[in-house]
Every structure is written in C-alpha cells, then in structure tokens.
C-alpha cells in the first residue's frame, strides 16, 4: 500500500444521472478538479433484476463503463478517475456473481445493503426510505418490531461481507437514518451493539474497508454521518480501514462535511484513511 501525506482529497461514492444523482459525469469530474481532488471514483447504483426509480437501468451499463473510462483518459494528469459501482446485496437474490463483477472491469466497487423486506403488494422496503414507508414496513414485514428489522439489516451486512468480500462496505449503519426524533431505541442497548459488532467482525474477517459516509448529513443536516462515533472507535480498535466518501448526488457535494468527518476519525483514533487506485492498488492517506 502506498503512503501519501498532505491533504489528499478523494471521493469514491458518486452518483450521477445514470442513477439517482443530478449531473453528468463530466460535471462531477470538473467539480473535482476545481475542488482540488486527486481521485474521483464513480459508483452508480448497479442494475438490479426488478424495477426501481433510483438505480441504473441494465441497458445503460455499457455506456456508463465506456464514459467513465473515456473521462479517465481525458482527465489524466489532472484527476485520477476510477470506474466503480455500488452493488446491492439483496435478501432473496444475493449478490451478482463474481464473474459478472469481473467482466465489468471495475477498479473497485462498494457493497451495500438497502433492501431489507418485501411488502405484500411486491414493493420492496429499503433501510433508508422515507419515514412513513419505513414505519409501514416495520409494521407489515417485521411484526412491528424495530429490533427484528435492525438485527436483520446487520445480519445482511455480515452475509454480504463474508460471501463477497467487497473492497468497500457502504454506509454500514444507514438504517439509523430512521431512528431520529423520536428515536425508537438507544444505540446503547445491548442487542443493538451486538448486532453492529457482529457486522464489524464480518467486515474485518472479509478484509473490507468500511466507508465514512457524509451523504446523509449533506442532504439533511439532522441526519448523522455514518458510522456513529462509537462505531468508528470500535472499528479503530479492530484495525478496520476506512474510506472517506461523500455519497455525492450533486457535483457541489463532493467534499460535503469532510472537515467534520476527518475530526470524527481523529477522535475515534484513526491516523489514516485508505483510498482505492487503478488496477486494484490501494493508497494510505494521512489525516490532516
């Protein structure tokens, strides 16, 4: 792993108009150059075998891969651009095959869990959906038990980590988005801590990095940065590497809340973040 010093700005969780982002890939690349980024990774939501209004359509994948690589060549010397995807682990489907991922020729990918249940009418419940739908899902799909839902979410994180060993695990505690004002439970409850620690053990066993994701806070100042500080402290004690990402959906948000996130990382005991590079390389970047 290469060591780098100084304030190295990177982001590897970027959504454009290929999925639910707002902006062309080129707009994000130009914004990254203007903001002084060294690396930018595109990570559109990978296609899934059912209809959604926020994931890339399967027919757009080849064009996305071509465009990211074309921009990488065009911006070489000014900005290192990496081709990635955010790939979902889905309860009744699992993960795309290793051969499918390999055939895409990605520089990296983010493994995430969004889908946690299916309503009786066939709609799918996500861990980070709007509060009204989340409440309805807890009632219909988990018998009204938030504990059952949250335990299941972290079990899916563990399954994904151990079965696929993704390079990066996305927003590991994103389900906490729907535990704010009024909170349904405390993060200090033993069952919750056990569920989180089980997922962290799986991440460590998989050798995956876990991202610090500022996207929730960017889109809603009342939303936390993921993961919570206590989780970051546990991760630091377990020597789990972290990647700092903004989960940007607009070019102007590429470095949103990065200053706050760096302070959190330092408080948790981290001295470095890690960043993927081309051809499977990794860089260790000192926190400044």
């Amino acid at each position: 792993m290469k060591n780098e010093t100084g304030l190295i700005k990177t982001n590897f969780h970027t959504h454009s108009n290929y999925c639910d982002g707002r902006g062309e890939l080129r707009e994000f690349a130009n914004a990254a150059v203007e903001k002084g980024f060294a690396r930018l990774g595109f990570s559109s939501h990978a296609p899934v075998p059912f209809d959604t209004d926020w994931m890339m359509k399967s027919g757009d994948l080849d064009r996305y891969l071509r465009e990211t690589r074309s921009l990488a060549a065009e911006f070489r010397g000014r900005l290192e651009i990496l081709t990635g995807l955010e790939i979902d682990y889905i309860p009744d489907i699992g993960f795309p095959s290793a051969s499918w991922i390999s055939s895409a020729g990605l520089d990296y990918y983010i493994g995430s869990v969004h889908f946690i249940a299916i309503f009786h009418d066939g709609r799918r419940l996500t861990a980070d959906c709007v509060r009204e739908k989340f409440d309805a899902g807890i009632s219909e799909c988990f018998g009204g038990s938030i504990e059952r839902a949250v335990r299941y979410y972290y079990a899916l994180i563990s399954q994904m980590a151990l079965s696929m060993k993704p390079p990066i695990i996305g927003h590991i505690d994103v389900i906490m988005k729907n535990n704010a004002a009024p909170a349904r439970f405390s993060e200090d409850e033993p069952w919750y801590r056990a569920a989180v620690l089980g997922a962290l053990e799986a991440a460590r066993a998989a050798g995956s990095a876990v991202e610090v994701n500022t996207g929730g806070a960017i889109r809603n100042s009342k939303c936390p940065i993921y993961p919570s500080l206590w989780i970051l402290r546990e991760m630091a004690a377990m020597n789990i590497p972290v990647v700092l990402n903004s989960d940007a959906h607009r070019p102007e948000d590429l470095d949103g809340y990065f200053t706050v996130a760096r302070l959190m990382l330092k408080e948790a005991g981290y001295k470095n973040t890690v960043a993927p590079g081309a051809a499977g390389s990794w860089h260790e970047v000192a926190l400044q």
Side-chain angles (χ1 to χ4, degrees):
M1 184 178 291
K2 299 178 182 177
N3 293 311
E4 297 178 342
T5 58
L7 183 58
I8 308 296
K9 294 180 75 172
T10 63
N11 177 61
F12 303 96
H13 198 151
T14 313
H15 295 291
S16 70
N17 57 6
Y18 274 97
C19 52
D20 59 345
R22 298 180 181 177
E24 303 281 345
L25 296 182
R26 180 178 297 278
E27 293 179 271
F28 284 91
N30 285 330
V33 171
E34 291 171 5
K35 290 174 176 289
F37 273 62
R39 297 184 193 90
L40 174 65
F42 289 114
S43 60
S44 196
H45 289 290
V48 294
F50 50 84
D51 289 335
T52 76
D53 59 2
W54 53 280
M55 292 182 140
M56 186 193 304
K57 304 303 181 187
S58 58
D60 291 333
L61 179 59
D62 286 344
R63 181 164 59 91
Y64 166 80
L65 296 173
R66 288 195 303 270
E67 186 175 353
T68 58
R69 289 162 186 154
S70 175
L71 286 172
E74 179 182 336
F75 279 76
R76 187 170 294 121
R78 292 181 291 159
L79 174 70
E80 183 178 359
I81 293 177
L82 304 181
T83 298
L85 287 170
E86 183 175 11
I87 304 178
D88 258 79
Y89 185 81
I90 305 170
D92 57 317
I93 296 172
F95 218 58
S97 68
S99 61
W100 184 92
I101 295 172
S102 177
S103 69
L106 305 174
D107 293 308
Y108 72 99
Y109 65 90
I110 299 169
S112 294
V113 171
H114 292 94
F115 301 101
I116 58 174
I118 303 176
F119 287 97
H120 294 152
D121 63 6
R123 292 177 301 140
R124 290 181 181 261
L125 175 67
T126 61
D128 62 340
C129 63
V130 296
R131 182 80 173 241
E132 182 179 358
K133 183 176 180 180
F134 186 77
D135 288 346
I138 297 301
S139 177
E140 180 178 319
C141 305
F142 293 97
S145 172
I146 185 69
E147 180 178 338
R148 276 183 57 200
V150 172
R151 283 181 180 272
Y152 185 55
Y153 168 79
Y154 284 111
L156 291 173
I157 292 283
S158 296
Q159 290 171 23
M160 175 185 69
L162 295 174
S163 63
M164 296 308 297
K165 299 178 173 55
I168 303 169
I169 294 176
H171 42 56
I172 197 167
D173 61 341
V174 73
I175 199 165
M176 291 301 293
K177 173 183 174 181
N178 279 303
N179 194 47
R184 294 167 171 80
F185 63 90
S186 167
E187 290 188 62
D188 292 329
E189 292 188 40
W191 69 263
Y192 180 74
R193 295 222 164 205
V196 172
L197 291 174
L200 295 184
E201 288 287 358
R204 178 167 65 174
S208 300
V210 172
E211 72 169 4
V212 175
N213 183 310
T214 64
I218 289 170
R219 290 180 284 283
N220 181 352
S221 60
K222 295 180 181 180
C223 189
I225 290 173
Y226 311 113
S228 297
L229 180 59
W230 77 266
I231 298 178
L232 284 176
R233 287 184 173 132
E234 294 289 347
M235 287 167 49
M238 297 167 71
N239 294 313
I240 295 174
V242 293
V243 178
L244 177 55
N245 283 333
S246 64
D247 199 346
H249 285 63
R250 303 180 304 172
E252 58 265 36
D253 294 334
L254 281 171
D255 55 357
Y257 283 82
F258 271 14
T259 299
V260 177
R262 288 190 182 97
L263 290 174
M264 283 180 63
L265 283 163
K266 290 179 183 178
E267 186 175 351
Y270 279 95
K271 293 181 172 58
N272 303 285
T273 61
V274 297
S281 63
W282 284 85
H283 305 259
E284 189 173 79
V285 184
L287 281 168
Q288 297 295 313

